[in-house]
Short mmCIF file of all heavy atoms in Angstrom, two decimals:
data_model
loop_
_atom_site.label_atom_id
_atom_site.label_comp_id
_atom_site.label_asym_id
_atom_site.label_seq_id
_atom_site.Cartn_x
_atom_site.Cartn_y
_atom_site.Cartn_z
N THR A 114 -9.48 24.54 -4.94
CA THR A 114 -9.70 23.51 -3.92
C THR A 114 -9.71 22.16 -4.58
O THR A 114 -10.37 21.95 -5.60
CB THR A 114 -11.03 23.74 -3.18
OG1 THR A 114 -11.01 25.04 -2.61
CG2 THR A 114 -11.21 22.71 -2.08
N GLY A 115 -8.94 21.22 -4.03
CA GLY A 115 -8.82 19.89 -4.61
C GLY A 115 -9.29 18.81 -3.68
O GLY A 115 -10.05 19.07 -2.74
N PRO A 116 -8.84 17.57 -3.90
CA PRO A 116 -9.29 16.43 -3.09
C PRO A 116 -9.06 16.66 -1.60
O PRO A 116 -8.05 17.22 -1.19
CB PRO A 116 -8.41 15.27 -3.61
CG PRO A 116 -7.95 15.70 -4.96
CD PRO A 116 -7.86 17.19 -4.90
N GLY A 117 -10.03 16.25 -0.81
CA GLY A 117 -9.89 16.37 0.63
C GLY A 117 -10.06 17.77 1.16
O GLY A 117 -9.77 18.06 2.31
N GLY A 118 -10.52 18.70 0.30
CA GLY A 118 -10.73 20.07 0.74
C GLY A 118 -9.44 20.88 0.84
O GLY A 118 -9.45 22.00 1.33
N LEU A 119 -8.32 20.32 0.39
CA LEU A 119 -7.04 21.04 0.45
C LEU A 119 -6.97 22.08 -0.66
O LEU A 119 -7.59 21.92 -1.71
CB LEU A 119 -5.88 20.05 0.33
CG LEU A 119 -5.82 18.98 1.43
CD1 LEU A 119 -4.71 17.99 1.13
CD2 LEU A 119 -5.59 19.62 2.78
N SER A 120 -6.20 23.12 -0.43
CA SER A 120 -6.10 24.20 -1.42
C SER A 120 -4.71 24.23 -2.05
O SER A 120 -3.71 23.97 -1.40
CB SER A 120 -6.38 25.56 -0.75
OG SER A 120 -7.71 25.62 -0.31
N TRP A 121 -4.70 24.55 -3.32
CA TRP A 121 -3.46 24.72 -4.06
C TRP A 121 -3.55 26.01 -4.87
O TRP A 121 -4.64 26.45 -5.21
CB TRP A 121 -3.23 23.59 -5.06
CG TRP A 121 -2.93 22.26 -4.48
CD1 TRP A 121 -1.71 21.70 -4.22
CD2 TRP A 121 -3.88 21.26 -4.09
NE1 TRP A 121 -1.86 20.45 -3.70
CE2 TRP A 121 -3.16 20.14 -3.60
CE3 TRP A 121 -5.28 21.20 -4.09
CZ2 TRP A 121 -3.79 19.00 -3.14
CZ3 TRP A 121 -5.89 20.06 -3.63
CH2 TRP A 121 -5.16 18.98 -3.16
N GLU A 122 -2.41 26.57 -5.19
CA GLU A 122 -2.39 27.64 -6.17
C GLU A 122 -2.56 27.03 -7.55
O GLU A 122 -2.08 25.94 -7.83
CB GLU A 122 -1.06 28.40 -6.11
CG GLU A 122 -0.84 29.19 -4.84
CD GLU A 122 -1.87 30.29 -4.65
OE1 GLU A 122 -2.13 31.03 -5.62
OE2 GLU A 122 -2.46 30.38 -3.56
N ILE A 123 -3.26 27.73 -8.44
CA ILE A 123 -3.49 27.21 -9.78
C ILE A 123 -2.18 26.95 -10.51
O ILE A 123 -2.08 26.14 -11.39
CB ILE A 123 -4.40 28.16 -10.60
CG1 ILE A 123 -4.81 27.50 -11.92
CG2 ILE A 123 -3.71 29.48 -10.84
CD1 ILE A 123 -5.58 26.23 -11.77
N ALA A 124 -1.12 27.66 -10.09
CA ALA A 124 0.19 27.45 -10.70
C ALA A 124 0.71 26.04 -10.47
O ALA A 124 1.64 25.59 -11.13
CB ALA A 124 1.19 28.46 -10.16
N THR A 125 0.11 25.31 -9.53
CA THR A 125 0.56 23.95 -9.25
C THR A 125 -0.37 22.91 -9.87
O THR A 125 -0.48 21.81 -9.38
CB THR A 125 0.65 23.71 -7.73
OG1 THR A 125 -0.67 23.79 -7.16
CG2 THR A 125 1.56 24.69 -7.05
N ARG A 126 -1.09 23.27 -10.93
CA ARG A 126 -2.06 22.32 -11.49
C ARG A 126 -1.40 21.05 -12.00
O ARG A 126 -2.04 20.01 -12.06
CB ARG A 126 -2.88 22.98 -12.59
CG ARG A 126 -2.11 23.47 -13.80
CD ARG A 126 -3.09 23.95 -14.88
NE ARG A 126 -2.39 24.61 -15.96
CZ ARG A 126 -2.39 25.93 -16.14
NH1 ARG A 126 -3.02 26.70 -15.28
NH2 ARG A 126 -1.74 26.47 -17.14
N ARG A 127 -0.11 21.11 -12.32
CA ARG A 127 0.57 19.89 -12.73
C ARG A 127 0.60 18.89 -11.57
O ARG A 127 0.40 17.69 -11.75
CB ARG A 127 1.99 20.22 -13.19
CG ARG A 127 2.04 21.08 -14.45
CD ARG A 127 3.45 21.56 -14.76
NE ARG A 127 3.50 22.37 -15.97
CZ ARG A 127 3.19 23.67 -16.02
NH1 ARG A 127 2.80 24.30 -14.92
NH2 ARG A 127 3.27 24.34 -17.15
N ASP A 128 0.85 19.42 -10.37
CA ASP A 128 0.80 18.55 -9.18
C ASP A 128 -0.63 18.10 -8.88
O ASP A 128 -0.85 17.00 -8.40
CB ASP A 128 1.39 19.27 -7.97
CG ASP A 128 2.90 19.33 -8.01
OD1 ASP A 128 3.51 18.46 -8.68
OD2 ASP A 128 3.48 20.23 -7.40
N LEU A 129 -1.61 18.98 -9.16
CA LEU A 129 -3.00 18.59 -8.96
C LEU A 129 -3.34 17.34 -9.76
O LEU A 129 -4.02 16.44 -9.27
CB LEU A 129 -3.94 19.73 -9.39
CG LEU A 129 -4.41 20.69 -8.31
CD1 LEU A 129 -5.26 21.79 -8.93
CD2 LEU A 129 -5.19 19.97 -7.24
N ARG A 130 -2.87 17.27 -10.98
CA ARG A 130 -3.13 16.09 -11.80
C ARG A 130 -2.56 14.83 -11.14
O ARG A 130 -3.17 13.77 -11.16
CB ARG A 130 -2.54 16.26 -13.20
CG ARG A 130 -3.24 17.29 -14.04
CD ARG A 130 -2.83 17.19 -15.51
NE ARG A 130 -3.44 18.26 -16.27
CZ ARG A 130 -2.83 19.41 -16.54
NH1 ARG A 130 -1.59 19.62 -16.13
NH2 ARG A 130 -3.45 20.35 -17.21
N ARG A 131 -1.40 14.96 -10.54
CA ARG A 131 -0.77 13.80 -9.91
C ARG A 131 -1.53 13.39 -8.64
O ARG A 131 -1.69 12.20 -8.35
CB ARG A 131 0.69 14.11 -9.58
CG ARG A 131 1.52 14.48 -10.81
CD ARG A 131 2.99 14.66 -10.48
NE ARG A 131 3.56 13.40 -10.05
CZ ARG A 131 4.20 13.22 -8.90
NH1 ARG A 131 4.33 14.21 -8.03
NH2 ARG A 131 4.72 12.06 -8.60
N VAL A 132 -2.01 14.38 -7.90
CA VAL A 132 -2.81 14.10 -6.70
C VAL A 132 -4.08 13.36 -7.09
O VAL A 132 -4.44 12.33 -6.50
CB VAL A 132 -3.15 15.41 -5.95
CG1 VAL A 132 -4.15 15.15 -4.85
CG2 VAL A 132 -1.88 16.04 -5.39
N TYR A 133 -4.76 13.87 -8.10
CA TYR A 133 -5.97 13.20 -8.57
C TYR A 133 -5.64 11.82 -9.13
O TYR A 133 -6.42 10.86 -8.93
CB TYR A 133 -6.66 14.03 -9.65
CG TYR A 133 -7.62 15.06 -9.10
CD1 TYR A 133 -7.30 16.40 -9.07
CD2 TYR A 133 -8.85 14.67 -8.59
CE1 TYR A 133 -8.17 17.35 -8.56
CE2 TYR A 133 -9.74 15.60 -8.07
CZ TYR A 133 -9.41 16.93 -8.07
OH TYR A 133 -10.27 17.86 -7.56
N ALA A 134 -4.53 11.69 -9.82
CA ALA A 134 -4.16 10.40 -10.41
C ALA A 134 -4.07 9.32 -9.34
O ALA A 134 -4.56 8.20 -9.51
CB ALA A 134 -2.84 10.51 -11.16
N ALA A 135 -3.44 9.65 -8.20
CA ALA A 135 -3.33 8.67 -7.12
C ALA A 135 -4.70 8.26 -6.60
O ALA A 135 -4.99 7.08 -6.40
CB ALA A 135 -2.48 9.26 -5.99
N ALA A 136 -5.58 9.25 -6.39
CA ALA A 136 -6.91 8.95 -5.88
C ALA A 136 -7.71 8.11 -6.86
O ALA A 136 -8.40 7.15 -6.47
CB ALA A 136 -7.65 10.25 -5.57
N ILE A 137 -7.62 8.43 -8.15
CA ILE A 137 -8.39 7.71 -9.17
C ILE A 137 -7.91 6.26 -9.28
O ILE A 137 -8.72 5.34 -9.44
CB ILE A 137 -8.27 8.41 -10.54
CG1 ILE A 137 -8.87 9.81 -10.46
CG2 ILE A 137 -8.97 7.60 -11.63
CD1 ILE A 137 -8.47 10.72 -11.62
N LEU A 138 -6.61 6.05 -9.17
CA LEU A 138 -6.09 4.67 -9.24
C LEU A 138 -6.65 3.82 -8.10
O LEU A 138 -6.90 2.63 -8.27
CB LEU A 138 -4.56 4.70 -9.20
CG LEU A 138 -3.89 5.18 -10.50
CD1 LEU A 138 -2.41 5.44 -10.26
CD2 LEU A 138 -4.09 4.18 -11.62
N GLY A 139 -6.86 4.43 -6.95
CA GLY A 139 -7.49 3.70 -5.85
C GLY A 139 -8.92 3.32 -6.17
O GLY A 139 -9.40 2.24 -5.81
N GLU A 140 -9.64 4.21 -6.88
CA GLU A 140 -11.02 3.92 -7.26
C GLU A 140 -11.09 2.82 -8.32
O GLU A 140 -11.98 1.97 -8.29
CB GLU A 140 -11.71 5.19 -7.78
CG GLU A 140 -11.88 6.28 -6.74
CD GLU A 140 -12.78 5.85 -5.60
OE1 GLU A 140 -13.73 5.08 -5.83
OE2 GLU A 140 -12.52 6.28 -4.46
N ILE A 141 -10.15 2.84 -9.25
CA ILE A 141 -10.17 1.82 -10.32
C ILE A 141 -9.81 0.45 -9.76
O ILE A 141 -10.41 -0.58 -10.11
CB ILE A 141 -9.20 2.22 -11.46
CG1 ILE A 141 -9.71 3.49 -12.15
CG2 ILE A 141 -9.06 1.08 -12.47
CD1 ILE A 141 -8.76 4.06 -13.18
N GLY A 142 -8.80 0.42 -8.88
CA GLY A 142 -8.45 -0.84 -8.21
C GLY A 142 -7.68 -1.83 -9.05
O GLY A 142 -7.69 -3.03 -8.76
N ASP A 143 -6.99 -1.37 -10.08
CA ASP A 143 -6.19 -2.28 -10.90
C ASP A 143 -4.92 -2.66 -10.14
O ASP A 143 -4.18 -1.79 -9.69
CB ASP A 143 -5.82 -1.59 -12.22
CG ASP A 143 -5.21 -2.55 -13.23
OD1 ASP A 143 -4.15 -3.12 -12.93
OD2 ASP A 143 -5.79 -2.71 -14.31
N PRO A 144 -4.64 -3.97 -9.98
CA PRO A 144 -3.47 -4.40 -9.19
C PRO A 144 -2.15 -3.84 -9.69
O PRO A 144 -1.20 -3.70 -8.91
CB PRO A 144 -3.50 -5.93 -9.32
CG PRO A 144 -4.91 -6.27 -9.65
CD PRO A 144 -5.43 -5.12 -10.47
N SER A 145 -2.07 -3.51 -10.98
CA SER A 145 -0.80 -3.00 -11.51
C SER A 145 -0.45 -1.63 -10.94
O SER A 145 0.68 -1.17 -11.07
CB SER A 145 -0.86 -2.90 -13.05
OG SER A 145 -1.83 -1.94 -13.45
N ALA A 146 -1.41 -0.98 -10.28
CA ALA A 146 -1.15 0.34 -9.70
C ALA A 146 -0.56 0.27 -8.31
O ALA A 146 -0.09 1.28 -7.78
CB ALA A 146 -2.44 1.16 -9.68
N VAL A 147 -0.56 -0.92 -7.69
CA VAL A 147 -0.14 -1.01 -6.29
C VAL A 147 1.32 -0.59 -6.12
O VAL A 147 1.64 0.26 -5.28
CB VAL A 147 -0.36 -2.43 -5.73
CG1 VAL A 147 0.30 -2.58 -4.36
CG2 VAL A 147 -1.85 -2.74 -5.63
N GLU A 148 2.22 -1.17 -6.88
CA GLU A 148 3.66 -0.85 -6.73
C GLU A 148 3.94 0.63 -6.98
O GLU A 148 4.67 1.26 -6.20
CB GLU A 148 4.50 -1.74 -7.64
CG GLU A 148 4.59 -3.19 -7.19
CD GLU A 148 5.41 -3.37 -5.91
OE1 GLU A 148 6.08 -2.39 -5.48
OE2 GLU A 148 5.38 -4.46 -5.34
N PRO A 149 3.40 1.24 -8.06
CA PRO A 149 3.63 2.68 -8.24
C PRO A 149 3.09 3.52 -7.08
O PRO A 149 3.71 4.51 -6.70
CB PRO A 149 2.88 2.99 -9.54
CG PRO A 149 2.83 1.70 -10.28
CD PRO A 149 2.73 0.63 -9.22
N LEU A 150 1.94 3.12 -6.52
CA LEU A 150 1.39 3.87 -5.40
C LEU A 150 2.26 3.70 -4.15
O LEU A 150 2.42 4.65 -3.37
CB LEU A 150 -0.04 3.43 -5.13
CG LEU A 150 -1.08 3.90 -6.15
CD1 LEU A 150 -2.40 3.18 -5.94
CD2 LEU A 150 -1.28 5.42 -6.06
N VAL A 151 2.81 2.51 -3.96
CA VAL A 151 3.74 2.30 -2.84
C VAL A 151 4.96 3.19 -3.01
O VAL A 151 5.43 3.84 -2.06
CB VAL A 151 4.13 0.82 -2.71
CG1 VAL A 151 5.28 0.66 -1.72
CG2 VAL A 151 2.93 -0.01 -2.25
N MET A 152 5.48 3.25 -4.23
CA MET A 152 6.62 4.13 -4.50
C MET A 152 6.25 5.60 -4.24
O MET A 152 7.07 6.39 -3.80
CB MET A 152 7.08 3.96 -5.95
CG MET A 152 7.69 2.60 -6.25
SD MET A 152 9.22 2.31 -5.31
CE MET A 152 10.29 3.57 -6.00
N ALA A 153 4.98 5.95 -4.50
CA ALA A 153 4.55 7.33 -4.31
C ALA A 153 4.52 7.74 -2.85
O ALA A 153 4.45 8.94 -2.54
CB ALA A 153 3.17 7.54 -4.93
N LEU A 154 4.60 6.78 -1.92
CA LEU A 154 4.70 7.13 -0.51
C LEU A 154 6.00 7.86 -0.22
O LEU A 154 6.14 8.46 0.85
CB LEU A 154 4.60 5.87 0.36
CG LEU A 154 3.30 5.08 0.28
CD1 LEU A 154 3.36 3.86 1.19
CD2 LEU A 154 2.10 5.95 0.63
N ARG A 155 6.94 7.82 -1.15
CA ARG A 155 8.22 8.52 -0.99
C ARG A 155 8.26 9.81 -1.83
O ARG A 155 9.31 10.43 -1.95
CB ARG A 155 9.38 7.61 -1.42
CG ARG A 155 9.41 6.24 -0.72
CD ARG A 155 10.60 5.43 -1.22
NE ARG A 155 10.66 4.12 -0.58
CZ ARG A 155 10.15 2.99 -1.09
NH1 ARG A 155 9.53 3.05 -2.27
NH2 ARG A 155 10.24 1.86 -0.45
N ASP A 156 7.16 10.16 -2.45
CA ASP A 156 7.13 11.31 -3.36
C ASP A 156 7.47 12.60 -2.62
O ASP A 156 7.19 12.74 -1.41
CB ASP A 156 5.75 11.44 -4.00
CG ASP A 156 5.75 12.29 -5.24
OD1 ASP A 156 5.59 13.53 -5.12
OD2 ASP A 156 5.92 11.74 -6.34
N GLU A 157 8.05 13.54 -3.32
CA GLU A 157 8.41 14.83 -2.71
C GLU A 157 7.17 15.64 -2.37
O GLU A 157 7.21 16.49 -1.48
CB GLU A 157 9.29 15.63 -3.67
CG GLU A 157 10.68 15.03 -3.88
CD GLU A 157 11.54 15.89 -4.77
OE1 GLU A 157 11.02 16.94 -5.25
OE2 GLU A 157 12.71 15.55 -5.00
N ASN A 158 6.08 15.39 -3.08
CA ASN A 158 4.85 16.16 -2.86
C ASN A 158 4.02 15.50 -1.76
O ASN A 158 3.56 14.37 -1.90
CB ASN A 158 4.06 16.23 -4.17
CG ASN A 158 2.83 17.12 -4.05
OD1 ASN A 158 1.94 16.85 -3.27
ND2 ASN A 158 2.79 18.17 -4.85
N ASN A 159 3.80 16.22 -0.67
CA ASN A 159 3.08 15.67 0.47
C ASN A 159 1.66 15.26 0.11
O ASN A 159 1.14 14.24 0.58
CB ASN A 159 3.04 16.70 1.60
CG ASN A 159 2.33 16.17 2.83
OD1 ASN A 159 2.74 15.16 3.41
ND2 ASN A 159 1.27 16.85 3.24
N ASP A 160 1.00 16.04 -0.77
CA ASP A 160 -0.37 15.73 -1.14
C ASP A 160 -0.45 14.46 -1.98
O ASP A 160 -1.41 13.69 -1.87
CB ASP A 160 -0.99 16.91 -1.90
CG ASP A 160 -1.00 18.17 -1.06
OD1 ASP A 160 -1.48 18.10 0.08
OD2 ASP A 160 -0.51 19.20 -1.53
N VAL A 161 0.56 14.23 -2.81
CA VAL A 161 0.61 12.98 -3.57
C VAL A 161 0.78 11.80 -2.62
O VAL A 161 0.13 10.76 -2.76
CB VAL A 161 1.76 13.01 -4.61
CG1 VAL A 161 1.94 11.64 -5.27
CG2 VAL A 161 1.49 14.07 -5.68
N ARG A 162 1.65 11.96 -1.62
CA ARG A 162 1.85 10.89 -0.64
C ARG A 162 0.55 10.55 0.09
O ARG A 162 0.20 9.39 0.27
CB ARG A 162 2.94 11.28 0.37
CG ARG A 162 4.32 11.43 -0.22
CD ARG A 162 5.39 11.42 0.86
NE ARG A 162 5.21 12.46 1.86
CZ ARG A 162 5.69 13.69 1.74
NH1 ARG A 162 6.37 14.05 0.67
NH2 ARG A 162 5.50 14.58 2.71
N CYS A 163 -0.17 11.60 0.51
CA CYS A 163 -1.42 11.37 1.25
C CYS A 163 -2.45 10.66 0.40
O CYS A 163 -3.11 9.71 0.86
CB CYS A 163 -1.99 12.70 1.74
SG CYS A 163 -1.03 13.46 3.06
N GLN A 164 -2.61 11.08 -0.85
CA GLN A 164 -3.59 10.43 -1.72
C GLN A 164 -3.17 9.01 -2.07
O GLN A 164 -4.02 8.11 -2.18
CB GLN A 164 -3.78 11.25 -3.00
CG GLN A 164 -4.54 12.54 -2.81
CD GLN A 164 -5.97 12.31 -2.35
OE1 GLN A 164 -6.58 11.29 -2.65
NE2 GLN A 164 -6.52 13.25 -1.60
N ALA A 165 -1.86 8.78 -2.22
CA ALA A 165 -1.38 7.42 -2.50
C ALA A 165 -1.70 6.50 -1.32
O ALA A 165 -2.11 5.34 -1.51
CB ALA A 165 0.12 7.43 -2.79
N ALA A 166 -1.52 7.00 -0.11
CA ALA A 166 -1.83 6.19 1.08
C ALA A 166 -3.31 5.83 1.12
O ALA A 166 -3.68 4.67 1.37
CB ALA A 166 -1.43 6.96 2.34
N GLY A 167 -4.16 6.80 0.88
CA GLY A 167 -5.59 6.54 0.86
C GLY A 167 -5.99 5.56 -0.23
O GLY A 167 -6.86 4.70 -0.03
#
Side-chain angles (χ1 to χ4, degrees):
T114 302
L119 300 175
S120 295
W121 291 267
E122 292 298 313
I123 189 60
T125 64
R126 62 173 171 255
R127 295 171 179 82
D128 284 335
L129 265 177
R130 291 194 185 96
R131 301 185 65 235
V132 171
Y133 273 106
I137 297 164
L138 287 168
E140 294 298 325
I141 294 173
D143 190 300
S145 66
V147 170
E148 288 291 349
L150 287 169
V151 169
M152 293 296 295
L154 297 180
R155 307 180 180 95
D156 198 273
E157 292 183 358
N158 185 299
N159 182 59
D160 300 309
V161 172
R162 294 197 302 273
C163 289
Q164 287 296 331

